[in-house]
Amino acid sequence: MIGKFTKFRAAWLRIGRSLFTSAVAVAVMLAALATVPAQSEEYRLGTMDKLRIRVVEWQTAEGAVRDWPSISGDYTVGPSGNISLPFVGEMPAIGKTTSEIADVISEELQQKFGLLDRPHSSVELAEFRPVFISGDVQTPGKYPYAPDLTVLKAVSLAGGMRRAADAGQRIERDFINARGNYDVLIAERNGLLAKRARLIAEAAGQEEIEFPKELQETAEGRKLIADETAFKEARETRLRVQLSAIEDLKSLLQNEVASLEKKITSQNRQMELSRNELKGIGNLADQGLVVNARVLSIERAIAELEGKVLDMETAALRAKQDISKATQNATTLQNDRDAEVAQERQAAEAEIEKLNLKIAMYRDLMAEAMAQDPQAALGTGGDAAPAVSFSIVREEGENTKEMAADENTPVLPGDVIKVGISPIPAN
């Protein structure tokens, strides 16, 4: 009878041990699933993480499971990175996984009490350490972490972007007005920058215009570049045509002077022949051998030739004066153009300085509106809305780093999320 009871008791012990082992395995698996956040790698504990610990022991001699209520409970990782358990004392937790903590607790209890069977510890993450949200949000502060938390969800926990209590619509209206004036002034200044670049090239006689880089990066700026380049070419073509017309006129006048000089030479030759003829018949006329009419005819011809030579010389002189005047006109045309370019550049510089002051004023007004009520500024929508910037400050071991983020960036427990409104660029 005693032998049967012993066999029966041994069988029940084997069944109990098997059931206990299966139960512990299921508990550990569920705890592992509960403690792993959205990230693929196993979660490492940090300060302010809250753990739920349960310790049970299988007593082989009695064939029963004994709970350790004095140890089981919730524990928070302290600022030192440790947790304090009864009988175990202070033990490091920061940077460890829940399974590593469970193994250490079981081993410490077994060694401390000299237990034949090693206690089984279940450690699960009862509450993640919080995340911190700062910057231009409605209610900055500390918030509990939840799995799959993103930057956008975190900002929602903080109430969204910061809003003024009673002046949201006014601030939004002021921001829209300031942004509209700002955009108009920027467009005007970009046009003046393109014009100034063209005037500098014209003054220096450069073929290529060196436009500011900021104009080359936008469609509107590239259109201004194309317009100013075409305008420069048109002005140069016009000046070139005018100077070419003056050169053509000078060439014609020079040809006319050359022709007149040849005619004058021919007329002078005819006058010389007529004088020689008159001299030859002059003695005959005195002797009465030649009629006076012949002498008068030659003298009349000489007088007509002298008149023609005088007219030709006058015409040549007038042509030379016209050539000199044409040369002066060409010089005046070039000087007038240079003076016009200098005056336009001076006026453009003055206007740019004036616009810069106005742009700075409206930029300050927009910055003030965003500082008072970022949500109202964001509510304008479209291109007028300012950009929101996100960054995450994260501890990695003993180091802390800050990285840029967007609305869909995953957030880890303990992260500090910084939310800000990007300043208006001071172009």
Side-chain angles (χ1 to χ4, degrees):
M1 184 71 179
I2 294 174
K4 290 182 179 181
F5 177 76
T6 302
K7 292 180 180 178
F8 179 75
R9 184 173 181 273
W12 270 109
L13 288 176
R14 287 194 298 271
I15 293 173
R17 185 180 294 108
S18 176
L19 291 174
F20 175 74
T21 303
S22 300
V24 170
V26 171
V28 170
M29 181 180 67
L30 292 176
L33 291 175
T35 57
V36 176
Q39 293 72 24
S40 59
E41 61 182 14
E42 194 169 3
Y43 180 70
R44 298 282 173 179
L45 298 175
T47 304
M48 300 182 70
D49 278 333
K50 182 177 290 186
L51 303 178
R52 181 164 291 126
I53 299 176
R54 184 184 180 190
V55 180
V56 295
E57 176 194 0
W58 170 256
Q59 297 177 322
T60 304
E62 289 79 6
V65 176
R66 186 180 70 173
D67 195 3
W68 292 58
S70 58
I71 297 179
S72 299
D74 292 345
Y75 298 86
T76 301
V77 180
S80 63
N82 300 329
I83 56 174
S84 179
L85 279 74
F87 307 120
V88 177
E90 293 280 338
M91 61 176 296
I94 192 168
K96 298 183 178 296
T97 64
T98 53
S99 59
E100 292 173 346
I101 296 293
D103 291 339
V104 172
I105 293 174
S106 298
E107 184 177 355
E108 290 288 334
L109 291 176
Q110 184 181 22
Q111 292 181 358
K112 187 174 184 64
F113 293 102
L115 300 176
L116 178 63
D117 297 316
R118 182 177 179 178
H120 293 272
S121 301
S122 170
V123 180
E124 64 179 22
L125 198 57
E127 183 178 311
F128 291 98
R129 59 185 182 270
V131 295
F132 301 86
I133 307 174
S134 65
D136 292 317
V137 291
Q138 185 67 15
T139 51
K142 178 179 69 174
Y143 291 89
Y145 176 84
D148 298 327
L149 186 67
T150 62
V151 170
L152 181 60
K153 293 178 181 178
V155 172
S156 300
L157 291 176
M161 300 302 295
R162 181 161 49 83
R163 301 176 297 277
D166 56 355
Q169 291 184 352
R170 179 184 61 79
I171 294 176
E172 181 176 350
R173 182 176 62 253
D174 293 343
F175 181 87
I176 292 175
N177 291 334
R179 187 58 191 246
N181 292 327
Y182 175 86
D183 290 340
V184 170
L185 294 175
I186 286 292
E188 291 181 6
R189 196 191 65 165
N190 287 341
L192 288 171
L193 290 176
K195 180 179 180 180
R196 182 179 65 179
R198 188 252 303 166
L199 292 172
I200 292 174
E202 288 180 342
Q206 299 175 349
E207 291 293 332
E208 297 293 332
I209 306 175
E210 296 181 3
F211 290 100
K213 184 178 179 181
E214 62 189 88
L215 297 180
Q216 304 174 18
E217 297 175 347
T218 62
E220 293 81 2
R222 289 189 289 271
K223 183 178 182 301
L224 291 173
I225 290 174
D227 292 342
E228 290 298 331
T229 302
F231 187 58
K232 176 178 178 292
E233 293 175 354
R235 282 165 62 99
E236 290 177 346
T237 300
R238 177 186 175 188
L239 179 62
R240 189 165 50 250
V241 169
Q242 290 175 331
L243 293 176
S244 177
I246 292 175
E247 289 298 322
D248 291 342
L249 177 60
K250 289 170 61 178
S251 178
L252 290 174
L253 292 172
Q254 288 170 353
N255 291 335
E256 182 180 353
V257 169
S259 177
L260 288 171
E261 288 177 348
K262 290 179 180 179
K263 289 181 178 181
I264 291 171
T265 302
S266 176
Q267 294 294 326
N268 287 331
R269 178 60 178 166
Q270 292 181 15
M271 284 192 298
E272 184 180 358
L273 294 174
S274 296
R275 287 192 181 97
N276 291 334
E277 181 182 2
L278 180 61
K279 184 178 179 182
I281 65 173
N283 295 329
L284 296 176
D286 293 338
Q287 298 173 8
L289 298 177
V290 178
V291 295
N292 291 331
R294 175 62 177 165
V295 175
L296 293 175
S297 175
I298 294 174
E299 290 177 348
R300 189 182 299 110
I302 293 173
E304 290 178 358
L305 290 173
E306 289 176 346
K308 289 181 179 180
V309 168
L310 183 60
D311 292 339
M312 291 178 185
E313 289 176 347
T314 302
L317 180 60
R318 186 179 298 111
K320 291 179 179 179
Q321 290 176 344
D322 292 340
I323 292 173
S324 178
K325 184 178 179 180
T327 303
Q328 183 179 359
N329 289 340
T331 303
T332 301
L333 184 63
Q334 184 66 53
N335 291 339
D336 289 346
R337 181 178 179 274
D338 293 342
E340 180 185 1
V341 168
Q343 291 175 356
E344 289 184 2
R345 180 180 175 183
Q346 184 178 7
E349 295 283 2
E351 192 64 25
I352 288 173
E353 289 300 323
K354 185 188 301 183
L355 289 176
N356 283 337
L357 294 176
K358 292 182 179 180
I359 288 171
M361 178 188 68
Y362 284 112
R363 186 171 59 246
D364 292 342
L365 290 176
M366 286 188 289
E368 181 182 358
M370 288 188 293
Q372 293 179 359
D373 193 341
Q375 184 60 43
L378 290 174
T380 58
D383 295 336
V388 181
S389 62
F390 303 102
S391 64
I392 293 178
V393 179
R394 180 172 296 167
E395 294 184 0
E396 294 185 352
E398 297 181 355
N399 299 322
T400 301
K401 73 172 185 178
E402 182 173 354
M403 57 184 181
D406 57 33
E407 292 181 348
N408 299 316
T409 301
V411 177
L412 299 181
D415 283 351
V416 178
I417 304 168
K418 299 169 69 175
V419 183
I421 300 294
S422 299
I424 304 298
N427 294 319

